[in-house]
């Protein structure tokens, strides 16, 4: 091919690409924070046991009821809250909510379950059915309800991951990095919802320490958790709780006062490359095939144990996702941790005794 003709072909292809991106790009990307360094792998998560394998469709969050002897609850993509009986390990479809967007679950003091439905908002699920608690705040729709925790006074703190994209387009929010997530507060006495903190980079897991002096909310796209003081001289002020080597998803308080945090591993040479510039973000986001392919390049699972002061105690991982991938939640009970994931058909269970023995 003659040089002039080759140049013309290249220019035509570039013009076509530019036109396609201009007309079809669904994101308005901003620069992403640089990804944190990854610690050396230990692959301790590869030792886990698989609970309910084949019966659970992407169990995103997991809750263990100590009062019921260790009954395990999760929500799956078929619209069910499912329960595992601790005496024999059998599973049952416990409550039907419907939809594909059931995410965070947490118990309420009245015996019901609080559920974040990404599409419908904050729900209360009990024997009498499903009650909608919050679907908007300050006239704005709650587009992506993600995780919740109830305080001792009945106040519910929950996250709205993005005001730009819903659950089915969560990856667009990651690519865009526009930080429109919010931490919300639901008051059961007034029935009103208010904003505690906004401008969050994909607001995700929410947790309270034992004294409820502050509330923690995870910022997945900024690789950190924030805390907002609820008591004392700093009440109402926000500050960084902990920086992490991954995208924090759900967070739960452990029996020893430490927090367990699931860290999504949205890292690969390709992802690190495309998130470096807004132009490459726009190009990838404009093609469905590139979006799906780039998501598939991220492999691995990781969880962190963090003190109440925000210090990392330990990191556990499956560096290549050989046994479990894309861990979205971790909860500790009776010497074990239980792992939820949007990429599996089981809940993982790992004995902490094995972890401690390996670390010695």
């Amino acid at each position: 091919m003659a040089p002039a003709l080759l140049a013309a072909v290249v220019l035509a292809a570039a013009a076509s690409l530019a036109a396609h991106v201009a007309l079809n790009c669904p994101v308005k990307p901003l620069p992403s924070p640089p990804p944190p360094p990854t610690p050396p792998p230990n692959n301790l998560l590869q030792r886990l046991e698989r609970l309910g394998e084949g019966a659970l469709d992407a169990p995103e969050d997991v809750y263990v009821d100590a009062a019921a002897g260790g009954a395990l609850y999760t929500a799956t993509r078929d619209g069910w809250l499912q329960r595992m009986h601790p005496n024999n390990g059998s599973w049952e479809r416990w409550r039907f909510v419907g939809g594909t967007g059931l995410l965070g679950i947490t118990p309420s003091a009245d015996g019901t379950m609080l559920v974040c439905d990404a599409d419908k908002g904050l729900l209360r699920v009990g024997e009498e059915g499903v009650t909608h608690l919050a679907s908007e705040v300050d006239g704005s729709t709650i587009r992506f309800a993600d995780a919740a925790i109830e305080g001792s006074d009945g106040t519910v703190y929950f996250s709205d991951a993005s005001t730009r994209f819903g659950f089915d387009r969560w990856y667009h929010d990651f690519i865009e990095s526009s930080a429109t997530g919010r931490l919300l507060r639901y008051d059961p006495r007034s029935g009103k919802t208010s904003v505690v903190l906004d401008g969050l980079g994909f607001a995700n897991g929410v947790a309270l320490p034992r004294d409820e002096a502050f509330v923690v909310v995870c910022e997945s796209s900024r690789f950190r958790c924030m805390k907002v003081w609820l008591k004392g001289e700093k009440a109402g002020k926000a500050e960084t709780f902990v920086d992490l080597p991954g995208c924090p998803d759900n967070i739960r308080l452990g029996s020893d006062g430490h927090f367990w945090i699931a860290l999504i591993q949205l890292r690969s040479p390709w992802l690190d490359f495309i998130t470096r510039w807004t132009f490459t973000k726009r190009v990838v986001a404009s093609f469905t095939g590139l979006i799906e392919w780039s998501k598939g390049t991220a492999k691995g699972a990781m969880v962190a144990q963090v003190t109440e002061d925000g210090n990392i105690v330990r990191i556990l991982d499956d560096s290549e996702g050989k046994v479990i991938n894309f861990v979205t939640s971790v909860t500790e009970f009776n010497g074990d941790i239980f792992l939820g994931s949007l990429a599996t058909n089981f809940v993982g269970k790992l004995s902490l005794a094995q972890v401690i023995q390996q670390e010695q």
Side-chain angles (χ1 to χ4, degrees), residues 16 23 27 43 52 88 94 99 108 130 140 144 173 180 210 216 222 226 234 236-237 268 292 313 318 326 341:
S16 177
L23 293 172
V27 301
N43 291 318
N88 58 14
W94 181 62
S108 177
V130 179
S140 170
F144 197 152
D173 193 271
T180 63
R210 288 179 290 190
V216 178
R222 288 179 172 168
M226 296 293 290
K234 293 184 178 181
K237 294 184 177 180
S268 71
E292 294 305 314
V313 176
D318 180 348
F326 207 84
S341 169

Side-chain angles (χ1 to χ4, degrees), residues 12 25 140 184 236 279:
C25 183
S140 170
L184 307 178
F279 171 73

Side-chain angles (χ1 to χ4, degrees), residues 227-242:
K227 71 177 178 182
V228 180
W229 290 96
L230 302 176
K231 301 177 181 178
E233 296 179 356
K234 293 184 178 181
K237 294 184 177 180
E239 60 189 57
T240 299
F241 175 61
V242 62

Side-chain angles (χ1 to χ4, degrees), residues 33 36 179 197-205 216-227 238-249 251 261-263:
L197 187 65
D198 59 9
L200 297 172
F202 203 94
N204 214 316
V216 178
V217 58
C218 298
E219 283 192 281
S220 298
S221 64
R222 288 179 172 168
F223 311 106
R224 69 182 183 183
C225 299
M226 296 293 290
K227 71 177 178 182
E239 60 189 57
T240 299
F241 175 61
V242 62
D243 293 303
L244 295 156
C247 303
D249 197 308
I251 176 173
I261 307 173
L263 304 178

Side-chain angles (χ1 to χ4, degrees), residues 158-189:
F158 67 108
S159 57
D160 183 15
S162 170
T163 61
R164 290 268 296 140
F165 302 100
F167 177 45
D168 60 336
R169 299 175 69 195
W170 68 267
Y171 193 70
H172 286 86
D173 193 271
F174 171 73
I175 291 289
E176 184 172 89
S177 195
S178 55
T180 63
R182 304 178 287 188
L183 173 64
L184 307 178
R185 177 194 290 115
Y186 171 76
D187 185 342
R189 292 159 289 277

